[in-house]
Amino acid sequence: MTAREISKILQSIANPVIAEHSQRFFKTGRGQYGEGDIFLGIRVPQLREQAGKFKALPLHEVQRLLLSAYHEERLCALLILVQKFAKETPAGQKAIYELYLKNTGRINNWDLVDLSAPQIVGAYLADKNRNILYKLARSKSLWERRIAVLATFYFIKNHQYEDALEIARMLLQDREDLIHKAVGWMLCETGKRNPAVEKEFLKSHYPIMPRTMLRYAIEKFPEEERLNYLKKPAG
């Protein structure tokens, strides 16, 4: 199996109606975050099913698929990497991680990041130095910053919050709404596991948090407590 053959299979199950909806949903218009992205119209469950069939694809062919102009072909490549990573040797995982970081320019929409960064970047760095995340968090690329945020989801699930909170601090004044949402989401996930940790962070930072970030962070709070936060001045 090759990237070209997978591309033909995916294009054979494309749905123009879904593609048209996706073009709008993922903001592909001029000046929007997904400007110029092209969709085939394939839902994520279908892509997961297809990725499962192609998980033996060599890494050089996965990279070719990742270079596709079609959003779903890039997502399929990432889902293949996620499945491969979970069953690879340490050396194989390192190769996948390195391929991922060399191709962040192709991981250029929020779903591509969210469905891969925790399982690859986060999982790989679980027992390693995490300085790369801070470099990504300072990147000019919206998507590299989002990769940094979402990678910490893996740590959060394992009750490790320090990196998530520090990256959240770094990005409090980020200009992008998609970063506000991602940071707020990770704070919410932290709070699900350890409410005291999230509330301590909010105590110090909520007055300068963008409103969207705050809303995401307190989404699971009891109604009265949530409304109390929203009544107070915020960024």
Side-chain angles (χ1 to χ4, degrees):
M1 185 64 70
T2 66
R4 181 173 294 181
E5 290 169 332
I6 293 172
S7 178
K8 289 180 180 179
I9 291 170
L10 294 179
Q11 290 182 41
S12 74
I13 61 173
N15 184 318
V17 175
I18 296 174
E20 184 178 356
H21 174 267
S22 296
Q23 295 283 149
R24 297 192 301 271
F25 183 74
F26 287 99
K27 308 296 183 184
T28 62
R30 185 174 181 180
Q32 295 181 307
Y33 62 74
E35 181 177 356
D37 209 352
I38 305 172
F39 285 77
L40 291 170
I42 308 171
R43 301 291 192 195
V44 172
Q46 279 185 288
L47 286 172
R48 287 192 192 278
E49 181 182 356
Q50 294 298 324
K53 298 175 183 178
F54 309 137
K55 58 188 176 185
L57 192 69
L59 286 187
H60 69 275
E61 290 292 340
V62 178
Q63 180 163 20
R64 288 179 182 174
L65 193 61
L66 195 54
L67 295 176
S68 172
Y70 291 109
H71 183 101
E72 291 93 341
E73 292 187 8
R74 300 197 305 281
L75 180 51
C76 187
L78 293 168
L79 293 174
I80 291 170
L81 290 179
V82 167
Q83 293 194 29
K84 289 173 78 70
F85 186 95
K87 297 187 177 182
E88 268 290 1
T89 63
Q93 291 181 339
K94 183 175 187 287
I96 291 170
Y97 166 78
E98 291 177 346
L99 184 150
Y100 190 95
L101 289 187
K102 287 178 182 176
N103 288 276
T104 56
R106 308 305 300 164
I107 307 168
N108 55 353
N109 215 311
W110 59 263
D111 61 324
L112 304 181
V113 173
D114 297 4
L115 292 172
S116 61
Q119 301 94 323
I120 295 176
V121 180
Y124 181 76
L125 296 175
D127 59 353
K128 299 176 182 66
N129 184 291
R130 300 171 185 177
N131 287 343
I132 184 63
L133 295 184
Y134 296 89
K135 180 179 179 180
L136 292 171
R138 290 189 292 269
S139 172
K140 293 181 180 179
S141 164
L142 160 63
W143 307 118
E144 289 191 346
R145 299 199 304 279
R146 189 161 175 122
I147 287 170
V149 176
L150 264 293
T152 69
F153 198 2
Y154 188 90
F155 313 148
I156 292 168
K157 289 178 179 178
N158 288 281
H159 306 283
Q160 300 172 18
Y161 311 117
E162 183 178 348
D163 293 292
L165 298 179
E166 185 56 36
I167 289 172
R169 289 186 191 96
M170 292 174 63
L171 296 173
L172 283 171
Q173 299 301 311
D174 199 278
R175 296 181 179 181
E176 296 287 350
D177 189 61
L178 283 173
I179 297 299
H180 302 169
K181 292 176 179 178
V183 170
W185 175 18
M186 292 304 100
L187 291 173
C188 180
E189 293 295 337
T190 296
K192 287 180 185 179
R193 293 159 178 83
N194 193 323
V197 169
E198 182 188 7
K199 289 179 182 180
E200 184 64 26
F201 181 91
L202 292 175
K203 181 180 178 181
S204 301
H205 299 98
Y206 87 86
I208 62 170
M209 290 172 69
R211 207 65 170 177
T212 297
M213 187 185 294
L214 179 60
R215 286 184 180 277
Y216 271 66
I218 64 176
E219 182 181 12
K220 300 300 182 182
F221 282 20
E223 183 70 6
E224 183 177 354
E225 187 175 10
R226 190 177 65 80
L227 291 175
N228 282 338
Y229 272 101
L230 294 175
K231 288 176 183 175
K232 300 172 184 177

